[in-house]
Coordinates of all heavy atoms in Angstrom, one line a residue:
A454 N 19.8 -9.5 25.2 CA 18.8 -9.6 26.3 C 17.8 -10.6 26.1 O 17.1 -11.1 27.0 CB 18.2 -8.2 26.6
I455 N 17.7 -11.1 24.8 CA 16.7 -12.0 24.4 C 17.3 -13.3 23.9 O 16.8 -14.4 24.2 CB 15.8 -11.4 23.3 CG1 15.1 -10.1 23.7 CG2 14.7 -12.4 22.8 CD1 14.1 -10.3 24.9
Y456 N 18.3 -13.2 23.1 CA 18.9 -14.4 22.5 C 20.4 -14.7 23.1 O 21.2 -13.8 23.0 CB 19.0 -14.3 21.0 CG 17.7 -14.1 20.3 CD1 17.3 -12.8 19.9 CD2 16.9 -15.2 20.1 CE1 16.0 -12.6 19.4 CE2 15.6 -15.0 19.5 CZ 15.2 -13.7 19.1 OH 14.0 -13.5 18.6
A457 N 20.5 -15.8 23.7 CA 21.8 -16.2 24.2 C 22.8 -16.3 23.1 O 22.6 -16.9 22.1 CB 21.7 -17.6 24.9
D458 N 24.0 -15.7 23.3 CA 25.1 -15.7 22.3 C 24.5 -15.4 20.9 O 24.6 -16.2 20.0 CB 25.7 -17.1 22.3 CG 27.1 -17.1 21.6 OD1 27.6 -16.0 21.2 OD2 27.7 -18.2 21.5
P459 N 24.0 -14.2 20.8 CA 23.2 -13.9 19.6 C 23.9 -13.9 18.3 O 23.3 -14.0 17.2 CB 22.6 -12.4 19.9 CG 23.6 -11.9 20.8 CD 24.1 -13.0 21.7
H460 N 25.3 -13.7 18.3 CA 26.0 -13.7 17.1 C 26.5 -15.1 16.6 O 27.3 -15.2 15.7 CB 27.2 -12.7 17.2 CG 26.8 -11.3 17.6 ND1 26.1 -10.5 16.8 CD2 27.1 -10.6 18.7 CE1 25.9 -9.4 17.3 NE2 26.4 -9.4 18.5
R461 N 26.0 -16.1 17.3 CA 26.3 -17.5 17.0 C 25.2 -18.1 16.2 O 24.0 -17.9 16.5 CB 26.6 -18.3 18.2 CG 26.8 -19.8 18.0 CD 27.2 -20.5 19.3 NE 26.3 -20.3 20.3 CZ 25.2 -21.1 20.5 NH1 25.0 -22.1 19.7 NH2 24.4 -20.8 21.5
L462 N 25.5 -18.7 15.1 CA 24.5 -19.4 14.2 C 24.3 -20.8 14.8 O 25.2 -21.6 15.0 CB 24.9 -19.6 12.8 CG 23.9 -20.2 11.9 CD1 22.8 -19.2 11.6 CD2 24.6 -20.6 10.5
D463 N 23.0 -21.2 15.2 CA 22.7 -22.4 15.9 C 21.3 -22.9 15.4 O 20.3 -22.4 15.9 CB 22.8 -22.3 17.4 CG 22.5 -23.6 18.1 OD1 22.3 -24.6 17.5 OD2 22.4 -23.6 19.4
I464 N 21.3 -23.8 14.5 CA 20.0 -24.3 14.0 C 19.2 -25.1 14.9 O 18.1 -25.5 14.7 CB 20.1 -25.0 12.6 CG1 20.9 -26.3 12.8 CG2 20.8 -24.1 11.6 CD1 20.9 -27.1 11.5
T465 N 19.8 -25.5 16.1 CA 19.1 -26.2 17.2 C 18.5 -25.2 18.2 O 17.9 -25.6 19.2 CB 20.0 -27.2 17.8 OG1 21.0 -26.5 18.6 CG2 20.6 -28.2 16.8
R466 N 18.7 -23.9 18.0 CA 18.3 -22.9 19.0 C 16.8 -23.1 19.1 O 16.0 -23.2 18.2 CB 18.6 -21.5 18.4 CG 18.5 -20.4 19.5 CD 18.7 -19.1 18.8 NE 20.1 -18.9 18.4 CZ 21.1 -18.4 19.2 NH1 20.8 -18.0 20.4 NH2 22.3 -18.2 18.7
D467 N 16.3 -23.1 20.4 CA 14.9 -23.4 20.7 C 14.5 -22.7 22.0 O 15.3 -22.3 22.8 CB 14.7 -24.9 20.8 CG 13.3 -25.3 20.7 OD1 12.4 -24.5 20.2 OD2 12.9 -26.4 21.1
G468 N 13.2 -22.5 22.1 CA 12.6 -22.0 23.3 C 12.8 -20.5 23.6 O 12.7 -20.1 24.7
Q469 N 13.1 -19.7 22.5 CA 13.3 -18.3 22.7 C 12.2 -17.5 21.9 O 11.5 -18.1 21.1 CB 14.7 -17.9 22.2 CG 15.8 -18.5 23.1 CD 17.2 -18.2 22.6 OE1 17.5 -18.3 21.5 NE2 18.0 -17.6 23.5
P470 N 12.0 -16.3 22.2 CA 10.9 -15.5 21.6 C 11.1 -15.5 20.1 O 12.1 -15.7 19.5 CB 11.1 -14.1 22.1 CG 11.8 -14.3 23.4 CD 12.7 -15.5 23.3
A471 N 9.9 -15.4 19.4 CA 9.9 -15.4 18.0 C 10.7 -14.3 17.4 O 10.8 -13.2 17.9 CB 8.4 -15.3 17.5
I472 N 11.4 -14.6 16.2 CA 12.1 -13.5 15.5 C 11.0 -12.5 15.0 O 9.8 -12.8 14.9 CB 12.9 -14.1 14.3 CG1 12.0 -14.8 13.4 CG2 14.0 -15.0 14.9 CD1 12.7 -15.3 12.1
L473 N 11.5 -11.3 14.7 CA 10.6 -10.2 14.2 C 10.8 -10.0 12.8 O 10.3 -8.9 12.2 CB 10.9 -9.0 15.1 CG 10.6 -9.1 16.6 CD1 10.9 -7.8 17.3 CD2 9.2 -9.5 16.8
T474 N 11.4 -10.9 12.1 CA 11.7 -10.7 10.6 C 10.4 -10.6 9.8 O 10.3 -9.9 8.8 CB 12.6 -11.8 10.1 OG1 13.7 -12.0 11.0 CG2 13.1 -11.5 8.7
F475 N 9.4 -11.3 10.2 CA 8.1 -11.2 9.6 C 7.2 -10.1 10.0 O 6.0 -10.0 9.7 CB 7.3 -12.6 9.7 CG 7.9 -13.6 8.8 CD1 8.4 -14.8 9.4 CD2 7.8 -13.6 7.4 CE1 8.9 -15.9 8.6 CE2 8.3 -14.6 6.6 CZ 8.8 -15.8 7.2
G476 N 7.7 -9.2 10.9 CA 7.0 -8.1 11.4 C 6.3 -8.5 12.7 O 6.6 -9.4 13.3
G477 N 5.2 -7.7 13.0 CA 4.5 -8.0 14.2 C 3.2 -7.2 14.2 O 3.0 -6.3 13.4
G478 N 2.2 -7.6 15.1 CA 1.0 -6.9 15.1 C 0.1 -7.1 13.9 O 0.1 -8.2 13.2
V479 N -0.7 -6.1 13.6 CA -1.7 -6.3 12.5 C -1.1 -6.4 11.2 O -1.7 -6.8 10.2 CB -2.7 -5.1 12.5 CG1 -3.5 -5.1 13.8 CG2 -2.0 -3.8 12.3
H480 N 0.2 -6.1 11.0 CA 0.9 -6.1 9.7 C 1.8 -7.3 9.6 O 2.7 -7.3 8.8 CB 1.7 -4.8 9.5 CG 0.8 -3.6 9.1 ND1 0.3 -3.5 7.8 CD2 0.4 -2.6 9.8 CE1 -0.4 -2.4 7.8 NE2 -0.4 -1.8 9.0
Y481 N 1.6 -8.3 10.5 CA 2.4 -9.5 10.4 C 2.3 -10.1 8.9 O 1.1 -10.1 8.4 CB 2.0 -10.6 11.4 CG 2.9 -11.8 11.5 CD1 4.0 -11.7 12.3 CD2 2.6 -13.0 10.8 CE1 4.9 -12.8 12.3 CE2 3.4 -14.0 10.9 CZ 4.6 -14.0 11.6 OH 5.4 -15.1 11.7
C482 N 3.3 -10.6 8.4 CA 3.4 -11.0 6.9 C 2.3 -12.1 6.6 O 2.3 -13.1 7.2 CB 4.8 -11.5 6.6 SG 4.9 -12.1 4.9
L483 N 1.5 -11.7 5.7 CA 0.4 -12.7 5.2 C 1.0 -13.9 4.6 O 0.4 -15.0 4.7 CB -0.5 -12.0 4.2 CG -1.7 -11.1 4.7 CD1 -2.3 -10.3 3.6 CD2 -2.7 -12.0 5.4
G484 N 2.1 -13.8 3.9 CA 2.7 -14.9 3.2 C 3.8 -15.7 4.0 O 4.5 -16.5 3.5
S485 N 3.8 -15.5 5.3 CA 4.8 -16.2 6.2 C 4.8 -17.7 6.1 O 5.8 -18.3 6.1 CB 4.7 -15.7 7.6 OG 3.5 -16.1 8.2
H486 N 3.6 -18.2 6.0 CA 3.5 -19.7 6.0 C 4.1 -20.3 4.7 O 4.9 -21.2 4.7 CB 2.0 -20.2 6.0 CG 1.2 -19.7 7.2 ND1 1.6 -20.0 8.5 CD2 0.2 -18.8 7.3 CE1 0.7 -19.4 9.3 NE2 -0.1 -18.7 8.6
L487 N 3.8 -19.6 3.6 CA 4.4 -20.1 2.3 C 5.9 -19.9 2.3 O 6.7 -20.8 1.9 CB 3.8 -19.3 1.2 CG 4.3 -19.7 -0.2 CD1 4.2 -21.1 -0.6 CD2 3.7 -18.7 -1.3
A488 N 6.4 -18.7 2.8 CA 7.9 -18.5 2.8 C 8.6 -19.5 3.7 O 9.7 -20.0 3.3 CB 8.1 -17.1 3.3
R489 N 8.0 -19.9 4.8 CA 8.7 -20.8 5.7 C 8.8 -22.2 5.0 O 9.8 -22.9 5.1 CB 7.9 -20.9 7.0 CG 8.1 -19.8 7.9 CD 7.3 -20.0 9.2 NE 7.3 -18.8 10.0 CZ 8.2 -18.4 10.9 NH1 9.3 -19.2 11.0 NH2 8.1 -17.3 11.6
I490 N 7.7 -22.6 4.3 CA 7.8 -23.9 3.6 C 8.8 -23.9 2.5 O 9.6 -24.8 2.3 CB 6.4 -24.3 3.1 CG1 5.4 -24.6 4.2 CG2 6.5 -25.5 2.2 CD1 4.0 -24.8 3.8
E491 N 8.8 -22.8 1.7 CA 9.7 -22.7 0.6 C 11.2 -22.7 1.0 O 12.0 -23.4 0.4 CB 9.5 -21.3 -0.2 CG 8.2 -21.3 -1.0 CD 7.9 -20.0 -1.6 OE1 8.2 -18.9 -0.9 OE2 7.3 -19.9 -2.7
L492 N 11.5 -22.0 2.1 CA 12.9 -21.9 2.6 C 13.2 -23.3 3.3 O 14.4 -23.8 3.1 CB 13.0 -20.8 3.6 CG 12.9 -19.4 3.0 CD1 12.7 -18.3 4.1 CD2 14.1 -19.1 2.1
A493 N 12.3 -23.9 4.0 CA 12.7 -25.1 4.7 C 12.9 -26.2 3.7 O 13.9 -27.0 3.9 CB 11.5 -25.5 5.6
E494 N 12.1 -26.4 2.7 CA 12.3 -27.5 1.7 C 13.6 -27.2 0.9 O 14.3 -28.1 0.6 CB 11.1 -27.6 0.8 CG 9.8 -28.1 1.5 CD 10.0 -29.5 2.1 OE1 11.0 -30.2 1.7 OE2 9.1 -30.0 2.8
A495 N 13.8 -26.0 0.6 CA 15.0 -25.6 -0.2 C 16.3 -25.9 0.6 O 17.2 -26.6 0.1 CB 15.0 -24.2 -0.6
L496 N 16.3 -25.6 1.9 CA 17.5 -25.8 2.7 C 17.7 -27.3 2.9 O 18.9 -27.8 3.0 CB 17.4 -25.0 4.0 CG 17.5 -23.5 3.9 CD1 17.4 -22.8 5.3 CD2 18.8 -23.1 3.3
R497 N 16.6 -28.0 3.2 CA 16.8 -29.4 3.4 C 17.4 -30.1 2.2 O 18.4 -30.9 2.3 CB 15.4 -30.0 3.7 CG 15.3 -31.5 3.8 CD 13.9 -32.0 4.1 NE 13.0 -31.8 2.9 CZ 13.0 -32.6 1.8 NH1 13.8 -33.7 1.8 NH2 12.2 -32.4 0.8
I498 N 16.9 -29.8 1.0 CA 17.5 -30.5 -0.2 C 18.9 -30.0 -0.5 O 19.7 -30.8 -0.9 CB 16.5 -30.2 -1.4 CG1 15.2 -31.0 -1.2 CG2 17.1 -30.6 -2.7 CD1 14.1 -30.6 -2.1

Side-chain angles (χ1 to χ4, degrees):
I455 302 297
Y456 299 101
D458 198 3
H460 302 297
R461 175 173 56 88
L462 184 73
D463 179 4
I464 65 171
T465 66
R466 195 183 290 270
D467 196 19
Q469 294 179 307
I472 59 172
L473 298 179
T474 309
F475 285 116
V479 296
H480 284 281
Y481 189 82
C482 176
L483 274 169
S485 62
H486 303 297
L487 178 60
R489 288 181 187 277
I490 294 173
E491 288 173 325
L492 291 167
E494 293 296 350
L496 290 180
R497 177 181 65 81
I498 289 170

